[in-house]
Amino acid sequence: MVPSQPRTAIIGAGISGLTAGKMLKDYRISYTTFEMSDRIGGNWAFGNPNGLSSAYRSLHIDTSKHRLSFKDFPVPDHYPAFPHHSDIKAYLDAYAEAFGLLQRIEFDNAVRSARRRDGGGWLIEDQSGAQREFDLLVVGNGHHWDARWAEFPGTFTGESIHSHHYIDPQTPLDLTGKRILVVGIGNSAADITVELSSKTLRNKVTLSTRSSAWIVPKYLAGQPGDKIFKTTPYLPLSWQRRAAQAIAPLVGADPTKYGLPPANHKLFEAHPTQSVELPLRLGSGDVIPKPNVSLLDGDTVHFDDGTSDVFDVIIYATGYNITFPFFDPDLISAPENQIRLFKRMFKPGFEDLVFIGFAQAIPTLFPFVECQARLLAAYAAGRYALPSVAEMERVIDA
C-alpha cells in the first residue's frame, strides 16, 4: 500500500511530468521531478540539449489549439489554430511558471536507476550517484525519443537517417537535388515528405508504407476538423467509429485515392495522419506513392508491387520504442511496445508505480495526460483506490 502523503518522484519534465507535478501540488503531495535536460518541455523543446527531442524546424502540432488546451490553463487566444512548436514550448513554459512548478524540478539530473525496495517504494540513483528513497514513482519519460528502425532484407549503400534526427532540408543531411525515399506514413512522415518534395529543392521524393493510414484534413467547412468532429461518452465508441467511416470518402481520407495501399485498420482505430498538403503532393506527382519495401540492394530499393528505383537517401519515419533505461528490464519493460496498464497508468501488482502519457490519444496527448494526472493525484492522496489485480487484468483485456 502507498502511505498517506507519499514521498513521490517524477521522471521527466515534459507534458506528462509537468501535469503530474501540477496535480500533485494541488493535492499538497510532496514530490521531486528529475529532468535530464536543463529545460522543461521534453519533445517540444526544439534542439533540446538532451538530444531526445523529435521536433523538426517546421513542425506544427497536428491538433488544433481548441483540443490541446489544458482545462485549467487555456491556450492563448492569439495562438494560431495549429501552433508551431515554439508556441507549444512557450505555452508549457507559461504553465510551469503560472503554477510554480520549476522549483520542484531538479534539472540536469537524470535517473540512472530505479530499484524496488523490499516492502514497497523505490530506491533511485540520480545522475550524481546519490541514492534517494521514495514511496511512489511516476514515470513520464515519454515515448518519442528511442527511434525504431524498420528492418528490410539486404543492404542500402546510400545515406540513412531516422526522422527523429531530421531538422530541416540542410540538417543533418543536405537534401537538395536528391532521390529520397521516406518510409512510414505517420504525421512526421507526411510533414517531412511534403517539405522535401517542394520543387524548389529539386528532389525526387517517394513515400513507402506498409500498413498505410487514413489521411484526414485539418479543416472541415473552414473550421479545424477536430473542433467539429469529436468523440462523446454518450454513444458507444463503435457507433462513433462507424459514423466516421461513413464520412471518410467525403473528406478524402481513403489513402488508395492517392495511390497508397489501403489502411489495414478502420478510421480512428489507430491514429490517423493529419495533412492538408500530402494528398495534394501525391495528386500533383510531386510525391511517388509505393507499398512496402521488399529488398534493399545497394542503391536500389525494391517494393512489394514488383517495382524498384534508385535512391540516395532513406528517411525512416517508422516510430519509436517504448523503453525505460532506468528499470531492470526483467522487472519493467514493453516488448513489442506493449505494456499492460490499467487505465494506461497502473501496472497490476505495483501499487507504488504510475505511468503517465504512454498512449496514442485521439486527438492529442495534452488533455489525456491532464486527466491521468488528476487520477494520479487523487490516488496519491488516498481518494482513489485501485481494484484487485484480477479486476485490473480483466479490464486491460477488455
Side-chain angles (χ1 to χ4, degrees):
M1 293 291 293
V2 173
S4 60
Q5 295 297 309
R7 297 167 299 173
T8 302
I10 301 173
I11 300 178
I15 61 171
S16 298
L18 289 174
T19 53
K22 191 270 177 186
M23 298 302 172
L24 287 171
K25 187 178 181 184
D26 284 352
Y27 277 79
R28 295 180 171 83
I29 302 296
S30 177
Y31 73 91
T32 300
T33 299
F34 294 89
E35 171 53 51
M36 70 188 310
S37 183
D38 63 356
R39 64 199 67 182
I40 67 165
N43 202 41
W44 288 102
F46 175 69
N48 198 321
N50 65 15
L52 301 184
S53 172
S54 299
Y56 34 94
R57 196 175 305 281
S58 61
L59 174 65
H60 288 75
I61 195 164
D62 291 299
T63 307
S64 77
K65 67 177 181 182
H66 312 283
R67 291 289 164 258
L68 70 86
S69 184
F70 294 133
K71 282 191 174 183
D72 54 10
F73 195 76
V75 169
D77 288 338
H78 69 269
Y79 271 28
F82 294 94
H84 184 250
H85 65 69
S86 59
D87 296 320
I88 302 299
K89 178 61 166 63
Y91 176 57
L92 295 175
D93 286 336
Y95 178 84
E97 182 66 29
F99 297 114
L101 305 180
L102 298 177
Q103 294 85 346
R104 303 286 188 94
I105 301 172
E106 294 187 7
F107 291 103
D108 294 313
N109 196 18
V111 171
R112 284 183 176 174
S113 70
R115 301 191 300 275
R116 212 171 186 204
R117 298 182 301 171
D118 294 337
W122 295 86
L123 181 64
I124 282 178
E125 180 183 343
D126 67 17
Q127 194 167 312
S128 69
Q131 304 287 322
R132 319 268 291 272
E133 292 188 351
F134 294 92
D135 302 308
L136 180 64
L137 177 59
V138 180
V139 178
N141 68 312
H143 58 104
H144 288 113
W145 58 271
D146 184 8
R148 184 174 68 223
W149 296 72
E151 295 182 0
F152 300 122
T155 302
F156 180 65
T157 54
E159 295 182 287
S160 298
I161 63 168
H162 193 277
S163 59
H164 175 70
H165 302 290
Y166 177 84
I167 300 298
D168 57 36
Q170 288 76 44
T171 313
L173 301 176
D174 179 9
L175 298 175
T176 304
K178 299 291 177 65
R179 299 163 295 187
I180 301 170
L181 172 64
V182 179
V183 178
I185 197 173
N187 287 326
S188 295
D191 288 349
I192 293 169
T193 296
V194 166
E195 184 162 85
L196 293 179
S197 63
S198 169
K199 288 299 187 185
T200 61
L201 296 176
R202 305 188 311 279
N203 293 317
K204 177 183 177 183
V205 179
T206 299
L207 178 65
S208 167
T209 173
R210 173 178 57 86
S211 56
S212 202
W214 298 90
I215 305 173
V216 298
K218 291 185 177 180
Y219 280 89
L220 292 172
Q223 293 287 328
D226 59 15
K227 189 178 179 182
I228 296 173
F229 183 85
K230 56 184 178 179
T231 58
T232 171
Y234 304 109
L235 287 174
L237 190 57
S238 60
W239 293 13
Q240 297 177 64
R241 285 177 173 166
R242 278 200 288 271
Q245 195 70 48
I247 67 169
L250 301 179
V251 299
D254 185 352
T256 63
K257 300 297 184 184
Y258 314 110
L260 294 165
N264 65 354
H265 54 274
K266 296 206 173 146
L267 184 58
F268 294 121
E269 284 184 347
H271 206 293
T273 295
Q274 294 171 277
S275 180
V276 175
E277 295 174 280
L278 182 60
L280 176 62
R281 295 298 175 90
L282 286 161
S284 301
D286 295 342
V287 176
I288 302 167
K290 288 291 180 182
N292 197 33
V293 172
S294 59
L295 177 67
L296 304 176
D297 183 14
D299 61 359
T300 302
V301 178
H302 299 263
F303 300 96
D304 282 349
D305 61 359
T307 62
S308 63
D309 209 341
V310 175
F311 295 95
D312 303 303
V313 179
I314 298 179
I315 300 174
Y316 289 88
T318 45
Y320 296 86
N321 300 305
I322 296 176
T323 49
F324 310 106
F326 37 81
F327 285 140
D328 180 342
D330 291 333
L331 181 70
I332 306 286
S333 62
E336 303 299 319
N337 278 7
Q338 298 296 317
I339 181 167
R340 291 176 61 83
L341 298 175
F342 176 69
K343 296 189 181 296
R344 300 290 193 270
M345 295 175 64
F346 301 97
K347 185 172 176 61
F350 289 74
E351 294 187 347
D352 50 12
L353 178 64
V354 184
F355 294 83
I356 301 287
F358 289 91
Q360 284 284 14
I362 295 175
T364 187
L365 203 58
F366 283 70
F368 177 77
V369 297
E370 188 181 32
C371 290
Q372 286 192 320
R374 283 197 174 96
L375 184 56
L376 157 70
Y379 176 68
R383 299 189 186 183
Y384 173 80
L386 290 171
S388 68
V389 169
E391 176 61 12
M392 285 193 282
E393 295 284 8
R394 184 196 68 78
V395 171
I396 292 169
D397 287 339

